[in-house]
Amino acid sequence: MANECTPFKEEGLSVTAKASAQIVGKTFVKISGNRTGGGADGLGTDLANVYQVATAAAGDRAVGVARQDAASGALVGVYTAPGIIVPVTAGAALTAGQEVQSNASGQAIPLAAGKALGVVMTGASASADAEIKLAL
């Protein structure tokens, strides 16, 4: 077929990415650079052919939540599916039904002027795991 549109990634719960800086698990992450290998015309099958992510800053648009801690340069799983409910470290007290954004450490805080990243499903205190339904 001519000019066929082939997806780079199919819909799923998560993707594997490369940490471009140290990442703490259960925090929001954002795209931090171009994919590490391949390209639209020459995709490789090696694990180095992945998106690059870093901790989301305050108010950033995130692409997901880190599944685990990762050192700079390491591979990290990232939950990306809208509607999935995942634990995210709370950076402030949260109440059920609040929309959340990222703080400077990638933690969930009440939405102020940033990008809404999800909804709190049940309340959580600061530094605890909050149940967040992703709205990325």
Side-chain angles (χ1 to χ4, degrees):
M1 293 185 165
N3 200 27
E4 184 177 352
C5 178
T6 304
F8 292 106
K9 301 283 183 188
E10 294 286 346
E11 182 176 349
L13 296 179
S14 65
V15 297
T16 300
K18 183 176 182 178
S20 62
Q22 183 174 345
I23 293 174
V24 175
K26 298 187 273 186
T27 59
F28 291 112
V29 295
K30 64 180 179 179
I31 293 292
S32 60
N34 292 330
R35 192 174 45 202
T36 61
D41 296 322
L43 295 176
T45 57
D46 63 303
L47 290 177
N49 184 13
V50 293
Y51 297 105
Q52 294 186 73
V53 295
T55 301
D60 274 353
R61 178 180 184 89
V63 295
V65 174
R67 294 177 67 169
Q68 74 276 352
D69 293 350
S72 181
L75 295 179
V76 61
V78 178
Y79 287 114
T80 60
I84 186 174
I85 299 171
V86 295
V88 180
T89 304
L94 300 172
T95 58
Q98 277 186 310
E99 287 187 302
V100 296
Q101 68 177 57
S102 175
N103 69 8
S105 300
Q107 299 170 334
I109 60 170
L111 181 64
K115 169 71 177 149
L117 302 177
V119 175
V120 179
M121 299 301 288
T122 191
S125 58
S127 300
D129 287 348
E131 296 175 27
I132 305 293
K133 181 177 181 180
L134 297 183
L136 306 169

